[in-house]
Amino acid sequence: MVAVHFAHVETWVFDLDNTLYPPEARLFDQIERKMTAWVAATLDVTEAEADRLRRAYWQSHGTTLAGLMEVHGIDPAGYLTDVHDISFDALAPDPVLESAIARLPGRRIIYTNGTAGYAERVLDALGLSRLFDALYGVEEAGFQPKPRAEAYAAVFAADGLSPDRAAMFEDDPRNLAVPHGLGMRTVHVAPAPHEAPHIHHHTDDLAAFLASATSAKAVRERG
């Protein structure tokens, strides 16, 4: 049973984009276009070069923002405001996921490489706003991105969670390596599995997985 692997979990840590909603929503496509336009305008390069840099910095630095800060010394404030100014029309309330998250025993938190303000808007569009005890964005990580160990250390210290009593849900496999090393239970949320030693579980249906990970005893203890 899946539930036996989560009986010890007191804190449930969720990524945001392409984790709490499916990739088919294409929300991040809007953000990527905004990133490319911002890089092109700020660095005075062609759109093609801006798109290349966006991808390259994501690969080499963890996020495009981290690369822009470390290579070009940009101020993150304007960037974060601009790239997260998108439409949420593709999202809709998800009552099945809402119910599954509401049944989780213990604390539930969001940890995203976006901003906490952006996370609030996504959660509102999904009808999940009332379910989380804390939201952490890149600002709370000192602008260090997942998958860097320093980012997790900052957020987990601020939250006070015990990694050996926590689980992490992520769509990006590389962002589960550090949590696994810290002793967290790791779940890859994506259409296709990614085989790696640092991934304990995979699911393409988060709501169903959470339901299977929640024991009847834990539900009763929650309330």
Side-chain angles (χ1 to χ4, degrees), residues 75-203:
D75 181 344
Y79 171 91
L80 289 168
T81 298
D82 287 352
V83 304
H84 291 118
D85 183 18
I86 64 170
S87 168
F88 298 98
D89 290 347
L91 302 181
D94 187 339
V96 177
L97 181 59
E98 179 186 13
S99 177
I101 294 174
R103 289 170 59 85
L104 295 175
R107 298 182 70 252
R108 315 140 186 157
I109 70 173
I110 297 291
Y111 174 25
T112 173
N113 272 340
T115 65
Y118 166 73
E120 289 175 354
R121 297 195 294 276
V122 171
L123 294 176
D124 185 60
L126 293 171
L128 305 177
S129 295
R130 67 177 184 84
L131 299 179
F132 293 93
D133 298 288
L135 306 180
Y136 299 99
V138 68
E139 311 102 308
E140 287 74 28
F143 297 102
Q144 293 283 337
K146 295 181 284 185
R148 297 182 186 177
E150 302 94 324
Y152 296 94
V155 167
F156 293 169
D159 190 74
L161 66 81
S162 299
D164 61 346
R165 302 190 68 79
M168 183 93 188
F169 296 79
E170 262 277 357
D171 70 297
D172 189 341
R174 63 183 181 165
N175 290 349
L176 291 170
V178 169
H180 179 273
L182 293 172
M184 298 177 75
R185 201 74 192 169
T186 58
V187 185
H188 180 217
V189 184
H194 179 89
E195 297 297 329
H198 64 272
I199 295 175
H200 292 124
H201 307 275
H202 165 265
T203 183

